[in-house]
Amino acid sequence: KLFLKETIKPLHSNNIIFTITPVLGFSLSLMFWGITSSSNMTYYLLFSLLLFFCMTSLNVYVVLLSGWASNSMYAFLGALRASAQTISYEISMILILLFPAFLQWTFSWNIMYNGYGVMILMVPVSVAWTIS
């Protein structure tokens, strides 16, 4: 339904990038399902946490490209502000997720889910993330 509706494009926009950027963002969000914890995929991915960090950082470029492609200064400044805010939240998320990875000496989601002792320590870390 989303792709079948009438598209509204600004007059002076970069039409190719303006059209492709939402598709790239949607495909990026669909790729996150490939690294979710299942018995098939994450067993073979040794560094699935690092893959998660790289994929979440690509979201910044999707937001920045969507603002730049409209050729409007207001949209571009809004995209810069949103990208800066996304980067600041990513830094705190990465530090919080690296805490159990360093305690268990692994970057695999599958091994991290099996370490129940670290999950008890995640309660104060989640409170710190909520405060920040």
Side-chain angles (χ1 to χ4, degrees):
K1 183 177 177 181
L2 177 68
F3 296 111
L4 296 178
K5 287 188 170 186
E6 180 183 359
T7 58
I8 299 172
K9 296 179 184 175
L11 278 175
H12 302 291
S13 68
N14 190 349
N15 290 330
I16 296 170
I17 298 176
F18 192 79
T19 306
I20 290 177
T21 303
V23 176
L24 289 175
F26 184 66
S27 62
L28 180 66
S29 65
L30 286 179
M31 282 193 293
F32 278 105
W33 279 349
I35 60 172
T36 55
S37 180
S38 66
S39 61
N40 298 330
M41 188 62 184
T42 57
Y43 182 73
Y44 298 108
L45 273 174
L46 294 177
F47 300 110
S48 56
L49 184 66
L50 293 178
L51 179 66
F52 175 76
F53 290 155
C54 293
M55 287 173 59
T56 54
S57 65
L58 288 176
N59 191 22
V60 174
Y61 295 110
V62 171
V63 172
L64 195 61
L65 271 177
S66 63
W68 177 76
S70 66
N71 281 342
S72 169
M73 206 46 145
Y74 294 113
F76 183 62
L77 288 175
L80 278 175
R81 182 177 179 264
S83 296
Q85 188 173 6
T86 304
I87 290 170
S88 69
Y89 281 118
E90 279 181 9
I91 290 170
S92 65
M93 180 189 67
I94 286 172
L95 289 176
I96 288 170
L97 289 178
L98 281 179
F99 176 69
F102 286 153
L103 286 179
Q104 293 182 352
W105 291 94
T106 184
F107 286 119
S108 174
W109 284 117
N110 198 19
I111 297 171
M112 286 175 68
Y113 286 148
N114 293 333
Y116 297 109
V118 175
M119 290 303 141
I120 295 170
L121 295 174
M122 289 302 289
V123 174
V125 172
S126 64
V127 171
W129 180 67
T130 305
I131 291 171
S132 67

